[in-house]
Amino acid sequence: TENLDVDAIRADFPILHQTVHGKPLVYLDNAASSQKPRQVIDALREVDERYYANVHRGGHQLSNEATSMYEESREAARRFLGAKSNKEVIFTYGTTSSINTVAHAWGVANLAAGDEILVSEMEHHSNLVPWQQVAARTGAKIKALPITPDGLLAMDELPAMLSERTKIVAVTAASNVLGTINPVEKIIRQAHAVGAVVSVDAAQAAPHKPINVVEWGADFVALSAHKMLGPSGVGILYGKQELLDAMPPFLGGGSMINTVTIEGFTPAMLPAKFEAGTPPITAAIALKAAIEYLENIGLANILAHEQMLAEYAHQLMADIPGLKILGPDPQQKAGIVSFTVNGVSPNDIGMMIDTAGVAIRAGHHCAMPLHAKYGISSSARASFYVYNTREEVETFVAALRKVLAILA
Ligand code: PMP
């Protein structure tokens, strides 16, 4: 059953109303990037047409307007995340840059030989590689919480993997391949009990479910606007104020300083301390429109809609010979359906189904260790969002059957 007025929602997304290869576009690559509603596109254009100027160094009218809109967007992000203070909400260039800030600023200052960094086997490369870089620099060691065969974190193994050597737990709130929604609160509670800090990759959670950083108890949370109806090039790093205050800045440059001499600098107050250089001004301001769009629909409603679509896809795909869906039941995940078909290359599926107008993604999805765990090197992934319909799920599965009739 449908809980959203998807027709009305679709009317807000100009890009969806087109044909590709002569077929109506069925856009199922939302885990990579979502599309933008008119409200976000209008916000982008409005800023560039009327309010654009560099922020925070103003004095003149346009700069003051751009600055106040930039700060209003920060306030929207604070509310969206449930953070206590705007000082804890840092504009970055995306999840990758948020996580790199935590790894290189907090990590380098706080990790040493003998310390442990706990990740999981389902991490995106952007929540692995920065930790590997920091481990190489500091001598800290990386451990990975295993996943179960059905694609859940092996939570019963967590207590044994945590010790006073564990300095940070870096874990995703939702997998970009399996869709699995992880028990972040529980992980944080257990990690805090051994004194570890927890950094949550919310790139795939923020678009699809309500999140509240205070309820989680998270120390750091990273997300990207482009996966939640917003523009690319901007993201958020949430950090607890006392941690952000205590750690050194990451990037150095303009805006992040209080005073500078030839010999040295003193850092600016939060959040400027972590916003070196000119930020993605237009994109950051337009993020507010995306947040408001999501809040108007309601994140819980969005998750229910996606899970309904995922469940329908599971049902329609169930009798396809040799097809295996990776990950848990639809009720335990966001609307992501990754799959393999015996003897068929996921890339071939992706390329051929594109000719039917269906946009899915094939590859390792920046999660090579996860695929290795399943003994595969790639998978095909259909990922749903707020504007997808049951009819599109039907079109996708019908096209998949045709493709497999040729390939299998
Ligand atoms: N983590 C997860 C779980 C993701 O899905 C992604 C995007 N695929 C990232 C991190 C990286 O995000 P970005 O490319 O926007 O920096």
Side-chain angles (χ1 to χ4, degrees):
T1 59
E2 186 56 76
N3 67 334
L4 301 184
D5 187 352
V6 181
D7 286 343
I9 291 169
R10 290 181 71 79
D12 288 331
F13 290 80
I15 204 168
L16 298 177
H17 308 283
Q18 65 175 301
T19 56
V20 296
H21 305 298
K23 306 278 167 42
L25 169 65
V26 175
Y27 187 78
L28 303 180
D29 193 20
N30 295 288
S33 246
S34 56
Q35 298 297 350
K36 298 177 198 65
R38 203 176 294 285
Q39 290 82 341
V40 171
I41 298 167
D42 287 349
L44 289 165
R45 200 184 43 245
E46 192 188 23
V47 173
D48 284 341
E49 286 184 354
R50 294 173 55 192
Y51 302 104
Y52 182 81
N54 212 324
V55 291
H56 293 319
R57 310 165 199 180
H60 63 79
Q61 175 69 12
L62 276 189
S63 178
N64 293 343
E65 281 175 354
T67 301
S68 67
M69 292 174 89
Y70 182 75
E71 292 305 323
E72 277 170 33
S73 188
R74 190 192 308 279
E75 168 58 21
R78 185 205 61 75
R79 187 185 63 230
F80 181 78
L81 290 167
K84 284 187 206 145
S85 161
N86 285 358
K87 293 180 185 163
E88 300 180 315
V89 179
I90 292 159
F91 281 120
T92 65
Y93 301 96
T95 303
T96 302
S97 90
S98 297
I99 294 171
N100 273 274
T101 302
V102 180
H104 293 282
W106 186 91
V108 169
N110 289 281
L111 295 170
D115 290 342
E116 290 176 1
I117 301 165
L118 182 63
V119 298
S120 87
E121 287 180 342
M122 66 168 79
E123 299 311 315
H124 187 281
H125 296 165
S126 85
N127 200 31
L128 271 180
V129 177
W131 297 111
Q132 293 167 349
Q133 293 173 310
V134 168
R137 248 177 99 176
T138 60
K141 204 174 122 202
I142 296 182
K143 283 183 155 187
L145 181 64
I147 56 170
T148 65
D150 50 351
L152 302 174
L153 288 179
M155 287 297 287
D156 50 347
E157 297 189 39
L158 180 59
M161 299 198 74
L162 288 169
S163 74
E164 56 298 341
R165 287 190 303 278
T166 315
K167 289 294 174 323
I168 186 152
V169 176
V171 70
T172 193
S175 162
N176 66 312
V177 179
L178 309 169
T180 316
I181 294 171
N182 291 326
V184 171
E185 242 179 285
K186 204 164 159 188
I187 295 167
I188 291 173
R189 223 179 309 122
Q190 294 186 38
H192 282 174
V194 299
V197 157
V198 183
S199 177
V200 179
D201 175 352
Q204 295 291 345
H208 307 293
K209 67 183 287 285
I211 64 183
N212 184 300
V213 296
V214 172
E215 275 170 27
W216 275 355
D219 298 297
F220 298 106
V221 177
L223 59 87
S224 297
H226 71 90
K227 292 180 196 289
M228 44 185 277
L229 309 183
S232 59
V234 65
I236 298 287
L237 171 62
Y238 161 82
K240 275 188 190 154
Q241 189 174 340
E242 59 269 30
L243 289 170
L244 293 174
D245 272 332
M247 65 200 237
F250 172 40
L251 300 176
S255 298
M256 51 70 71
I257 54 87
N258 183 21
T259 59
V260 183
T261 61
I262 294 294
E263 290 75 28
F265 73 95
T266 55
M269 305 284 280
L270 294 174
K273 178 180 172 184
F274 292 99
E275 293 184 1
T278 298
I281 299 165
T282 306
I285 292 172
L287 171 57
K288 177 170 177 245
I291 287 172
E292 287 172 352
Y293 195 92
L294 292 172
E295 287 175 338
N296 280 339
I297 297 171
L299 271 296
N301 293 327
I302 292 173
L303 181 61
H305 174 74
E306 288 179 29
Q307 289 179 327
M308 179 274 291
L309 294 177
E311 191 155 351
Y312 193 37
H314 278 230
Q315 187 192 320
L316 295 181
M317 292 161 84
D319 68 342
I320 297 178
L323 185 144
K324 191 168 158 279
I325 293 174
L326 307 175
D329 297 337
Q331 294 315 312
Q332 291 173 287
K333 67 179 185 177
I336 292 177
V337 179
S338 292
F339 60 97
T340 56
V341 183
N342 278 341
V344 184
S345 144
N347 275 310
D348 290 348
I349 295 174
M351 268 165 14
M352 283 190 60
I353 206 167
D354 177 57
T355 64
V358 180
I360 64 168
R361 184 161 291 250
H364 54 60
H365 315 297
C366 301
M368 292 177 81
L370 170 64
H371 283 82
K373 174 82 176 193
Y374 282 105
I376 54 181
S377 58
S378 66
S379 59
R381 178 181 74 185
S383 51
F384 308 119
Y385 208 10
V386 59
Y387 36 67
N388 289 123
T389 65
R390 289 174 71 84
E391 293 68 35
E392 287 182 310
V393 175
E394 288 163 7
T395 304
F396 155 60
V397 179
L400 178 62
R401 284 180 194 277
K402 278 193 192 149
V403 164
L404 293 175
I406 297 163
L407 291 174

